[in-house]
Amino acid sequence: MTTFDDRESAFENKFAHDEEMNFRAEARRNKLLGLWAAELMGKTGEDADAYAKEVVKSDFEEAGIEDVVRKVAGDLGDIADADTIRKKMAELLIVAKGQILNEV
């Protein structure tokens, strides 16, 4: 194998690792968002956990975050608007990445 091949392989491995970490961080963010929204709706315990799982699953409907925003905004109604939810998602993504890095 040449040096070029080694570098190419290293970049491919890094890309795959970064994509996996992003996926995990986004899923964790969505779970945290679900728990936050559940608390706003007065859900606790198993009900809150079940709702958080629903939020995580809602992210698989389409690319991007709008499917999650739409779900949570619809469930929260007047409690929080879409912009508030997007802001909370940005905050929670930082928290989720930190949690994942601390696990490794």
Side-chain angles (χ1 to χ4, degrees):
M1 219 180 229
T2 66
T3 302
F4 180 76
D5 291 335
D6 291 342
R7 289 183 66 205
E8 182 180 22
S9 179
F11 281 122
E12 288 172 357
N13 290 339
K14 182 181 180 332
F15 178 79
H17 177 264
D18 290 349
E19 287 299 305
E20 179 184 350
M21 294 301 286
N22 284 335
F23 176 80
R24 290 179 60 206
E26 289 173 2
R28 175 79 56 98
R29 174 207 57 207
N30 292 340
K31 179 180 178 184
L32 294 171
L33 180 72
L35 293 172
W36 170 78
E39 183 179 346
L40 291 178
M41 292 185 285
K43 296 179 185 236
T44 58
E46 290 181 15
D47 289 338
D49 290 336
Y51 181 75
K53 288 178 185 175
E54 287 179 31
V55 172
V56 171
K57 289 179 185 176
S58 74
D59 192 25
F60 299 116
E61 292 175 12
E62 63 186 49
I65 65 169
E66 290 306 309
D67 46 357
V68 176
V69 172
R70 200 170 31 255
K71 160 123 180 88
V72 175
D75 293 343
L76 288 176
D78 293 336
I79 297 172
D81 64 3
D83 289 335
T84 302
I85 293 166
R86 285 185 196 94
K87 182 179 176 192
K88 191 66 175 178
M89 288 178 82
E91 293 170 9
L92 292 174
L93 184 59
I94 295 167
V95 172
K97 286 180 178 181
Q99 289 178 352
I100 290 172
L101 288 176
N102 287 334
E103 290 174 358
V104 176

